[in-house]
């Protein structure tokens, strides 16, 4: 965690997202090894507010799996522990990919996610929220429409524990038109409600709208384009929520993107 704070600061960021271990597996170190107190002190000294710091659950977690019992059980058990870790660290947003139905069908997959969320959230010590991420619809991914996300939230026994992570690459790949972001937010508000929006993943996309591919591009170098992404960053309805870059970059690249977006943000404000 301390390393993540240092890295974020080196890019000129005022928030960040981290994994509690490798994103590809569920092996995790004890919280005592994450240098949490040093990390918090460094955040405090540099105006990074812990309430805007985001945790991302590992990719391999699939709550929608009904085909392999172990996969679902692993997902539920891992997530219970992850919520405990988030609570111990003090974060309040955990981003989760809803899941893939792996050929069992969308309805079955959605029901399985709801069952999983109910198990995970029952009696949890976690005071924060799980942010269900909008997905590109690659393979059998669920959460590719606002309707599916809303279905999960409204059928879960603990809707007060759920929110949304809006990923710009994913919604573009799912077919939403980012050249009209006002219309997207109107639809989001009507279908889900804007107060559910907890975090934005700001990415360009290598593929055309509706491609269902999920290949992220650098800001301004993809099919969404810089102007549309600047409109997202500057939208008054999103003020105060964390924006996270998941662009394919090196350290210098992220530093440049943050500086560029900040410059464009302040230009718009004038
Ligand atoms: Fe994600
Ligand atoms: Fe994302
Ligand atoms: Zn993605």
């Amino acid at each position: 965690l301390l390393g993540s704070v240092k890295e974020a600061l080196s890019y000129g960021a005022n928030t960040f997202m981290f994994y509690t271990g490798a994103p590809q597996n569920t092996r995790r170190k004890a919280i005592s090894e994450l240098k949490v107190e040093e990390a918090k002190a460094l955040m405090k000294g540099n105006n990074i507010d812990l309430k805007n710091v985001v945790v991302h659950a590992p990719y391999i977690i699939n709550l929608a799996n009904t085909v392999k019992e172990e996969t679902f059980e692993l997902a539920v058990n891992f997530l219970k522990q992850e919520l405990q870790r988030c609570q111990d660290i003090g974060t309040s947003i955990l981003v989760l990919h809803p899941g893939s139905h792996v050929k069992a069908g969308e309805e079955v997959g959605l029901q399985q996610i709801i069952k999983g969320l109910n198990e995970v959230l029952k009696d949890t010590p976690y005071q924060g929220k799980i942010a269900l991420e909008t997905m590109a619809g690659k393979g059998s991914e669920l959460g590719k429409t606002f309707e599916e996300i809303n279905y999960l939230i409204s059928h879960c026994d603990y809707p007060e524990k759920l929110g949304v992570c809006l990923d710009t690459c994913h919604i573009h790949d799912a077919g939403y038109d980012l050249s009209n972001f006002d219309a997207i937010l109107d639809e989001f508000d009507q279908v889900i409600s804007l107060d559910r929006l907890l975090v934005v993943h700001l990415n360009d996309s290598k593929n055309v709208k509706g491609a269902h591919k999920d290949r992220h591009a650098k800001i301004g170098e993809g099919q969404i384009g810089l102007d549309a992404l600047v409109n997202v960053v500057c939208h008054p309805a999103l003020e105060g929520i964390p924006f996270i870059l998941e662009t394919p970059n090196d350290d210098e690249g992220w530093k440049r993107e943050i500086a560029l977006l900040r410059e464009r943000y302040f230009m718009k404000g004038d």
Side-chain angles (χ1 to χ4, degrees):
L1 184 59
L2 179 61
S4 298
V5 179
K6 286 179 179 168
E7 205 180 317
L9 291 173
S10 78
Y11 306 145
N14 55 8
T15 187
F16 63 97
M17 180 170 79
F18 70 104
Y19 296 85
T20 59
Q24 312 86 350
N25 68 48
T26 56
R27 286 192 297 277
R28 293 295 181 262
K29 281 185 184 173
I31 294 291
S32 57
E33 291 175 58
L34 301 181
K35 303 198 175 161
V36 173
E37 289 317 311
E38 288 128 292
K40 282 183 183 168
L42 190 59
M43 281 187 242
K44 212 169 179 186
N46 289 280
N47 290 317
I48 294 184
D49 192 338
L50 191 60
K51 83 174 192 336
N52 291 325
V53 172
V54 181
V55 178
H56 197 308
Y59 311 135
I60 53 155
I61 291 299
N62 185 12
L63 283 182
N65 196 312
T66 50
V67 180
K68 265 172 97 183
E69 184 72 22
E70 316 91 87
T71 307
F72 177 77
E73 286 307 318
L74 175 96
V76 167
N77 289 328
F78 179 87
L79 278 173
K80 280 187 186 170
Q81 292 166 32
E82 186 81 336
L83 292 185
Q84 178 71 61
R85 276 189 288 273
C86 289
Q87 186 60 28
D88 292 343
I89 297 168
T91 59
S92 51
I93 306 172
L94 174 69
V95 172
L96 174 69
H97 295 178
S100 296
H101 64 72
V102 283
K103 291 180 185 153
E106 293 186 350
E107 184 62 34
V108 173
L110 289 168
Q111 293 307 332
Q112 189 76 342
I113 297 169
I114 292 162
K115 182 180 156 192
L117 287 172
N118 285 342
E119 277 186 42
V120 167
L121 289 169
K122 183 174 182 274
D123 303 323
T124 183
Y126 180 55
Q127 294 297 305
K129 295 182 180 182
I130 293 178
L132 299 171
E133 182 164 357
T134 58
M135 301 309 289
K138 171 167 50 75
S140 64
E141 270 174 0
L142 295 164
K144 61 194 180 298
T145 62
F146 296 161
E147 284 77 8
E148 284 180 7
I149 298 274
N150 184 62
Y151 185 89
L152 296 171
I153 294 173
S154 57
H155 286 82
C156 176
D157 293 339
Y158 311 96
E160 71 283 0
K161 292 279 189 194
L162 298 174
V164 182
C165 167
L166 188 84
D167 186 308
T168 55
C169 168
H170 296 177
I171 61 170
H172 164 89
D173 279 31
Y176 291 89
D177 181 6
L178 276 147
S179 68
N180 190 352
F181 191 58
D182 276 330
I184 290 181
L185 280 192
D186 278 349
E187 191 175 336
F188 188 102
D189 196 32
Q190 274 162 30
V191 177
I192 304 173
S193 180
L194 262 182
D195 54 20
R196 295 271 183 201
L197 184 50
L198 303 178
V199 48
V200 170
H201 284 172
L202 196 79
N203 306 305
D204 214 324
S205 172
K206 292 204 162 130
N207 292 287
V208 294
K209 179 167 71 78
H212 302 295
K213 287 276 210 282
D214 191 7
R215 297 274 313 282
H216 300 193
K218 293 177 188 177
I219 300 298
E221 294 186 17
Q223 296 289 322
I224 299 173
L226 180 60
D227 288 343
L229 291 168
V230 167
N231 284 338
V232 174
V233 169
C234 297
H235 202 288
L238 306 187
E239 203 179 309
I241 72 166
F243 286 80
I244 306 293
L245 294 167
E246 298 174 304
T247 47
N249 265 312
D250 53 15
D251 292 356
E252 281 310 305
W254 283 310
K255 205 171 171 177
R256 264 200 310 275
E257 285 185 346
I258 291 170
L260 170 69
L261 291 165
R262 198 167 263 143
E263 187 192 310
R264 294 288 297 255
Y265 178 85
F266 287 116
M267 267 164 61
K268 283 233 173 184
D270 288 339

